[in-house]
Amino acid sequence: MKLSRLYSDDSRFKDIEFKNGLNIIFGYVHDKNVNDPHNLGKSALVQLIDFMLLKEVKKGNYFYNKKKVFKNHTFYLELKLNKGDYLTIRRSFSNVTRVDIKIINYSTKLLDCAEWDYTNLVLNTTSENVIPATAILNEKLNFDILGDYDYRKLVGYFIRTQNDYSDVFQLKKFSSSTDQVWKPFVYELLGFDSILLFKKYELNSEIDALKTKIKNMEDYYSASDIDRINGQIDILNREKEILEQDLDSFNFYLNEKQISKVLINEIENKSISLQNKAYNLRADIDLIENSLATKEFLDFDYIKELFEEVEIYFSDQLEKSYEDLISFNKSLLEDRRVHLSKLLIDKQAELKVVDEMLKDLGKQRSDILNVLQDSDVINKYKNLRANLIEKEKSIQSLETQKDIISQTRTDIKELNEKKKELEKINQTIDTKIESGNQVLNDIRYLFKTYFEAITSKNGIIDISTNTTSNVEFNAGIITDGGALTHEDEGFSYRKMLCMCFDLAILSYYSNKSFFKFLYHDGPFEALHENRKWSYLEFIEEYCNENDVQYIINLIDSDVSKDKLNRRDIVCELEQTEDGSGALFGFKY
């Protein structure tokens, strides 16, 4: 993949058409005492290309605090894919999380294009139902090198900013990351199988987690306590059995006394029912006795006397009829009295039975209360129950400790097995590093050749493992006898080591479907004057030998323009008072 062109919908922006070989972004600074050369935008160009390759805009990034400055700007980056097609990315600062993509078979500007192959793509997402722009671009790039890695993870080695020259292998963005984040793909770039390295890091993480888990347990328990705990559990179980036997005996005692919750409830219910029945019987008996005490309700002599007083004749016939009525009434009263008397006797007999039953229930209730009010019996029961519960709690606690210790012993066993597995992997990695591989040898030779051509010194890259068996990547300067010097501690040489490593990687994989461009931000800065010319001579030869793009930026104080090939300058920037000569065409 190469860069083809970069342009904007803002006419003030300095559009750039990239070419094969060397591409120079050249800046003019007329008055170094007044003008700051870093305001030309040459370093901003590096950030813009990274932005157009779908870098997220997060706090701390170059464009994070400049979104409002460029809110009306839309930029376009055209890429030449390795299979020959041209892919254009359109991205606006009005919505930095969305992009459009279009693929055609020729190079052209798409400022007025209305139909895009992919529109409003989200930059990144965790949703399985949405395909992000980075995934689509990753697919279209179709790299056959490090295909298991997202291109965004690798792009930093092909866009080396000023912040990335402090370490050859570990970019600034990985400075706070674990080795697992970046070392595997560098390891694979150098011809090794990263699967083994991933397994090593995975085992390291698992071992660390097990160590932490075991240590946390051992702060409270010891794995050697297992027999003591088993002994305590056995003793407590025996004591628990004795308590259960005592409780069984106590329950038997209560059974002998015929005391139970069910019995007490039955007595209470029967008592209430019989009391109601006794009440009703007494009420019936009172009614019957009152009825039996009622006298005749007709007085014949009184009626006859009343007639005489009012001088009304009381005929013999009327007298005889009335006497018959009285005689009939007396007969009815006598029959009723006989019936009521018999009913009274029955009710009284039934009441006597009910009273006897209530008396018996009262005695049963009294006996139960006497037993329940026996404080010694109750206290003994309570103590037995409390002791049994305490034993059960202690047993449960010890069983939990036992489970934890058993799990810990399992964890220790697993830890030892993983350590053995890790040791085998470490030995395999050591063996592979000792044996080396052709990829590493070729890249190392290219690196050495490039560094020597520029600096006339011996540069070396190598891989080793440290005391904890972790893979380390090394780059330095050696004497003719092979001894490491300390010259690489200076920024100038460290920067050149970084650049030569990138150039060696780009050259080695130039015949593969991979990155075919490399951007070095400010390579001439801090470079000794003698090294500038050797660097320029080398770069010209390098670009002629490799089918790649090499993009650099510099200012006229680094190298005079007449020392450069005019055809290699793809963009000229000039610092002016109004900023019109800068990359974006205005001051911000």
Side-chain angles (χ1 to χ4, degrees), residues 18 36 65 87 113 131 147 150 152 180 228 264 276 285 299 351 365 401 403 443 464 472 491-492 496 512 515:
F18 298 97
D36 182 356
N65 295 322
L87 182 149
C113 179
I131 302 176
D150 186 285
R152 282 295 322 165
Q180 188 172 354
R228 175 180 58 79
I264 294 172
N276 290 334
I285 289 171
D299 187 343
L351 178 61
R365 188 171 182 275
Q401 293 180 38
D403 290 342
I443 292 174
S464 62
E472 298 288 350
F491 180 73
S492 178
M496 190 54 62
K512 302 289 186 180
F515 289 100

Side-chain angles (χ1 to χ4, degrees), residues 163-217:
N163 294 327
D164 295 320
Y165 289 123
S166 59
D167 191 286
V168 174
F169 303 97
Q170 186 175 14
L171 300 176
K172 177 68 174 179
K173 68 178 181 179
F174 298 133
S175 59
S176 59
S177 303
T178 61
D179 289 353
Q180 188 172 354
V181 173
W182 65 276
K183 280 189 176 180
F185 64 78
V186 175
Y187 189 67
E188 191 165 328
L189 268 177
L190 296 176
F192 295 93
D193 185 357
S194 63
I195 293 177
L196 203 60
L197 199 56
F198 270 121
K199 183 61 178 176
K200 170 188 169 61
Y201 290 132
E202 182 181 344
L203 280 171
N204 278 333
S205 297
E206 292 172 354
I207 287 171
D208 288 342
L210 283 171
K211 284 181 177 178
T212 301
K213 184 179 178 183
I214 292 168
K215 183 182 181 303
N216 290 338
M217 187 285 301

Side-chain angles (χ1 to χ4, degrees), residues 393-404:
K393 286 182 178 179
S394 297
I395 290 170
Q396 183 60 48
S397 176
L398 289 169
E399 289 287 0
T400 300
Q401 293 180 38
K402 181 179 175 182
D403 290 342
I404 292 173

Side-chain angles (χ1 to χ4, degrees), residues 17 97 101 153 166 213 222 408 416 418 442 446 456 482 530:
E17 287 192 26
T97 63
I101 294 176
K153 191 178 285 287
S166 59
K213 184 179 178 183
S222 172
T408 302
N416 292 331
K418 288 187 180 296
D442 290 346
L446 290 172
S456 300
N530 293 336

Side-chain angles (χ1 to χ4, degrees), residues 297-347:
F297 58 87
L298 290 176
D299 187 343
F300 178 74
D301 292 335
Y302 172 75
I303 293 173
K304 186 176 180 180
E305 183 180 350
L306 182 61
F307 266 69
E308 290 175 352
E309 287 178 0
V310 295
E311 296 180 348
I312 296 174
Y313 177 69
F314 196 72
S315 66
D316 292 338
Q317 182 61 38
L318 180 60
E319 180 179 353
K320 184 178 186 307
S321 297
Y322 199 76
E323 286 178 348
D324 290 340
L325 177 61
I326 290 173
S327 177
F328 177 73
N329 179 56
K330 287 182 177 181
S331 175
L332 287 177
L333 285 174
E334 186 61 30
D335 289 342
R336 181 171 178 271
R337 185 181 298 277
V338 170
H339 174 73
L340 288 176
S341 296
K342 183 177 183 302
L343 184 60
L344 177 62
I345 293 171
D346 292 340
K347 294 286 185 180

Side-chain angles (χ1 to χ4, degrees), residues 30 52 90 161 276 376 399 442 525 533 576:
H30 302 298
M52 293 306 296
R90 179 171 65 182
T161 69
N276 290 334
D376 290 338
E399 289 287 0
D442 290 346
E525 295 177 20
W533 311 122
T576 57

Side-chain angles (χ1 to χ4, degrees), residues 209-268:
L210 283 171
K211 284 181 177 178
T212 301
K213 184 179 178 183
I214 292 168
K215 183 182 181 303
N216 290 338
M217 187 285 301
E218 289 179 339
D219 288 341
Y220 301 95
Y221 310 110
S222 172
S224 61
D225 292 341
I226 192 69
D227 184 60
R228 175 180 58 79
I229 291 174
N230 281 332
Q232 286 180 281
I233 292 173
D234 179 70
I235 291 171
L236 287 170
N237 275 323
R238 291 171 186 249
E239 292 175 346
K240 177 188 171 187
E241 288 178 6
I242 294 173
L243 287 173
E244 288 173 339
Q245 290 173 3
D246 289 344
L247 279 172
D248 288 342
S249 298
F250 181 83
N251 289 329
F252 180 72
Y253 166 76
L254 291 179
N255 288 335
E256 280 188 325
K257 296 294 184 178
Q258 297 182 342
I259 297 174
S260 70
K261 185 177 180 180
V262 174
L263 178 59
I264 294 172
N265 288 337
E266 286 181 356
I267 290 173
E268 291 295 335

